[in-house]
Amino acid sequence: MANLIDGRAIAEKVYVDLRRQIAELKSKGVTPGLAVVLVGDNPASRAYVRSKDKMSRELGLHSVKLELPAMTTQSELLSRVEELNRDPAIHGILVQSPPPKQIDEAAIVRALDPRKDVDGFHPVNVAKLVSAAADGFVPCTPLGIQRLLLESKIDISGAHVVILGRSMIVGKPLALLLMQKNKDADATVTVVHSRSRNLEKITRSADILIAAIGRANFVKSEHVRDGAVIVDVGISRVEDATNERGYRLVGDVAFDEVAKKAAAITPVPGGVGPMTIAMLMANTVKACRQVL
Ligand code: NAP
């Protein structure tokens, strides 16, 4: 049976280190500030924004939660982003995705000051990830996955990492991060997606298999070789009458059968999710330190 990689416990370790850094910054009279902007009332987005705001407050950051109505125009949102760009008390800005249809999300991301782009989606930060520039911001989920693996003493260097999914949020930046030439990466990376041939053959060759496709229980035991490490990024709701909410969250991996073959596996929830928020906090502290 696989070892369980406990994302909550590893996130707690990250917070211990961040609390120390935040105390040090405060002793110099600086409080890292994070602004989270929510446009509209998508319930999942609202829940994400709430937990980001709650965590910032728990850590003692200056937290600004900006909730804008669903009919907010592109120019109204742009002017709010520009205000936050100019605000010296704000070091990190995040505009929760997805925004309502009238908003051009890419244009909003381009309007962010790249030094405050703690989500790491601005083209300047994408270029910095490609060129492995240390002062760039790496998207939070990929950064959290790397940290999970490192803290779990899983050897990434030289390993064949197969990533299922090629989104700009997870798959693509994760591939760039894990193939970097440094001791925390150095992986041989393969990315598979909905057009890939022989998907199962490729996933079975993975030392580390990372699933980020958003298809509940897609990865079965036949996709996995004995002794592989499995990281499950997916979050899907499946109906569950026994749960008071009427649904439960499941990952992309059929946990019970895959856990029998794997050496280590992340659960959903409690695996990658807590690390994503922890890395948002870490990126905010980094953004603050970099402008001191
Ligand atoms: P996305 O933008 O929808 O991308 C999904 C990717 O999976 C695409 O590249 C797609 O291929 C590929 N794909 C879909 N079905 C496939 C199939 N049957 N076989 C092979 N590849 C397939 O999703 P995302 O934003 O990356 O998110 C993926 C999942 O991770 C979602 O469940 C999301 O909720 C979750 N997530 C979790 C966290 C966290 O903190 N835990 C953070 C971000 C996302 P094509 O490119 O060919 O269409």
Side-chain angles (χ1 to χ4, degrees), residues 48 141 164-171 192-196 199 211-215 218 232-236 252 272-274 276-277:
Y48 288 134
T141 301
L164 266 163
R166 55 175 164 182
S167 74
M168 284 299 290
I169 298 170
V170 190
V192 287
H193 46 76
S194 67
R195 297 284 177 175
S196 297
L199 182 138
I213 56 176
R215 301 273 180 272
F218 178 93
D232 192 351
V233 186
I235 305 175
S236 303
D252 288 343
V272 174
T276 297
I277 296 197

